[in-house]
Amino acid sequence: KGCRLTPPGLPPPKQMADLEEAVIEKGTEVINFLREECRIPDEQCEQLEALITNTEDAKGWSPDGRELMERVEDVAKCQPYMPHDKYAEMLVIGWSAALDLMKHQRKMAFKKVRTLQEDAKCPAELMDAAYRTRDELDLGCAKANIRFCEARFLVEVLQENPMPPIEELRKKVDEDWAAGTIGPPNTDGFDDEGRHVAEGEEGAKDESK
């Protein structure tokens, strides 16, 4: 009967189009979370959406999941009141889809290099370009995998040590602001040049003027 390389009942391997669609779908989910639950301005969300939208119907276009997730992490740094537990889950979802696509692109890049190496008439510039693409994807996959692992670790940390409710965080910020431990510097007790003035000296200095 011969040997089956693929056991019966298993789904066919994912193709590039499926992986790209997953990046778009999961990326949109992450962006909607930022817009609806973190109140990120529409202008910033639209810039993120542009990374996974083929607006010009360009041939060979592919969604940039890695760039999207890196920018998502940058945007989120300015959102202290967002639900951090769900944010961590969104990072895992987004990075997982981005990494799956990049792994497939990396595999295809290595395959292309091997194919060109077998062609004795392959132009040097074409070979060099293939090497660059392969190396960029190889390094990119390694970096994306680190971010993916960091996101998974963050989920575990927040499960063991959940963040307090947003209301408590806001109350703490208000209290710290009122106490002067955060926010603009408290200049009481200092002169115009920033030197400390002992109690009573400042009033005496003003009276002597």
Side-chain angles (χ1 to χ4, degrees):
K1 292 182 180 180
C3 176
R4 276 185 185 270
L5 296 179
T6 304
L10 289 182
K14 288 185 177 180
Q15 299 298 313
M16 181 74 79
D18 298 326
L19 296 170
E20 291 177 343
E21 184 62 32
V23 168
I24 296 172
E25 178 184 343
K26 300 305 180 183
T28 300
E29 187 177 341
V30 172
I31 294 170
N32 288 339
F33 163 75
L34 294 178
R35 177 183 280 119
E36 297 169 5
E37 300 193 38
C38 301
R39 298 182 180 179
I40 300 297
D42 285 338
E43 182 180 352
Q44 287 182 279
C45 290
E46 289 170 1
Q47 292 174 355
L48 296 176
E49 288 170 338
L51 297 171
I52 55 173
T53 305
N54 189 6
T55 54
E56 299 179 359
D57 197 25
K59 185 178 180 181
W61 175 89
S62 184
D64 195 339
R66 177 187 167 193
E67 177 71 15
L68 169 66
M69 294 310 300
E70 287 177 348
R71 291 200 192 180
V72 165
E73 291 188 5
D74 289 339
V75 168
K77 291 175 182 176
C78 303
Q79 300 298 316
Y81 299 134
M82 68 180 178
H84 290 81
D85 51 351
K86 188 170 182 180
Y87 164 68
E89 294 173 0
M90 289 292 103
L91 288 183
V92 172
I93 290 173
W95 275 117
S96 177
L99 188 57
D100 285 345
L101 175 58
M102 292 181 67
K103 284 180 178 179
H104 186 73
Q105 292 171 330
R106 174 184 178 275
K107 179 180 177 181
M108 299 301 293
F110 271 82
K111 183 178 180 180
K112 182 175 182 178
V113 167
R114 289 194 299 269
T115 300
L116 293 178
Q117 286 174 334
E118 295 171 358
D119 183 1
K121 297 182 179 180
C122 177
E125 57 272 16
L126 185 59
M127 193 76 246
D128 290 342
Y131 279 132
R132 284 195 300 272
T133 300
R134 179 201 64 182
D135 294 344
E136 288 172 1
L137 285 168
D138 193 33
L139 180 59
C141 276
K143 291 181 176 180
N145 190 55
I146 291 174
R147 306 292 274 271
F148 173 61
C149 291
E150 289 175 344
R152 291 180 60 185
F153 179 69
L154 181 58
V155 169
E156 295 178 4
V157 169
L158 291 174
Q159 287 175 345
E160 295 178 2
N161 303 282
M163 294 287 290
I166 293 178
E167 292 74 16
E168 289 186 20
L169 291 175
R170 287 176 174 166
K171 181 180 178 182
K172 181 67 167 59
V173 169
D174 291 340
E175 292 174 350
D176 290 345
W177 186 281
T181 55
I182 62 173
N186 188 344
T187 58
D188 293 344
F190 294 86
D191 61 18
D192 295 338
E193 297 180 2
R195 294 174 298 193
H196 184 265
V197 178
E199 187 176 354
E201 290 184 7
E202 189 173 2
K205 187 182 297 184
D206 291 341
E207 293 176 359
S208 64
K209 291 181 180 179

